[in-house]
Amino acid sequence: MHTADLDFAMTLADIADRVTMASFRSHDLAIDRKPDRTFVTAADRAAEQAIRDAVAAHRPGEVVSGEEFGEVAVAPRRWVIDPIDGTANYMRGVSVWATLIAFEADAETKVAVVSAPAMGLRWWASAGGGAFADGRE
């Protein structure tokens, strides 16, 4: 069962896929280390920023809590983002990485999407609507 929240989560995954795939296996990928010494790439930051921009434009009043930029504000409706889970693989050109997106309303997870565009895979679920892998339950 698709809801408006799940449809928007899929749109956010599409946006992140375009950003991350544009830099995947590029020879000039900018790589830094975060204060905790884990890697972060320009693609991580760009994908999270693109998601933040889309939420701000289409879902005013909802906030984003992301791995790269933290949480800007607190609100009852919140998107939780890891723009590239598996950054070490991403920066080495290994296809096993994904964008993780979840939506919470009143501290309850309503939808979640895992998009692994380099492998051509996507998983999603919604509260009361089931869980799917590329359209299969």
Side-chain angles (χ1 to χ4, degrees):
M1 174 174 81
H2 274 255
T3 64
D5 294 332
L6 180 57
D7 289 341
F8 189 59
M10 295 290 225
T11 297
L12 295 176
D14 292 341
I15 291 167
D17 288 356
R18 283 191 295 278
V19 172
T20 55
M21 289 304 292
S23 296
F24 184 55
R25 295 186 176 147
S26 72
H27 297 287
D28 60 350
L29 179 65
I31 301 168
D32 293 314
R33 285 194 185 259
K34 296 189 259 187
D36 67 1
R37 306 293 297 149
T38 58
F39 291 107
V40 61
T41 69
D44 285 280
R45 291 182 178 128
E48 184 171 321
Q49 189 59 57
I51 290 170
R52 287 177 179 278
D53 292 347
V55 170
H58 300 286
R59 296 287 192 98
E62 296 177 357
V63 300
V64 175
S65 178
E67 182 173 346
E68 308 315 330
F69 300 113
E71 187 163 3
V72 176
V74 176
R77 295 174 61 85
R78 173 173 87 131
W79 295 90
V80 181
I81 309 298
D82 185 347
I84 300 176
D85 184 49
T87 299
N89 279 349
Y90 181 88
M91 54 190 239
R92 291 179 178 97
V94 177
S95 298
V96 183
W97 54 272
T99 297
L100 311 180
I101 299 170
F103 177 69
E104 296 177 343
D106 299 319
E108 289 187 25
T109 302
K110 299 297 183 180
V111 301
V113 176
V114 176
S115 186
M119 295 190 300
L121 298 172
R122 186 174 283 182
W123 301 266
W124 63 91
S126 62
F132 301 86
D134 291 327
R136 297 178 312 277
E137 250 185 299

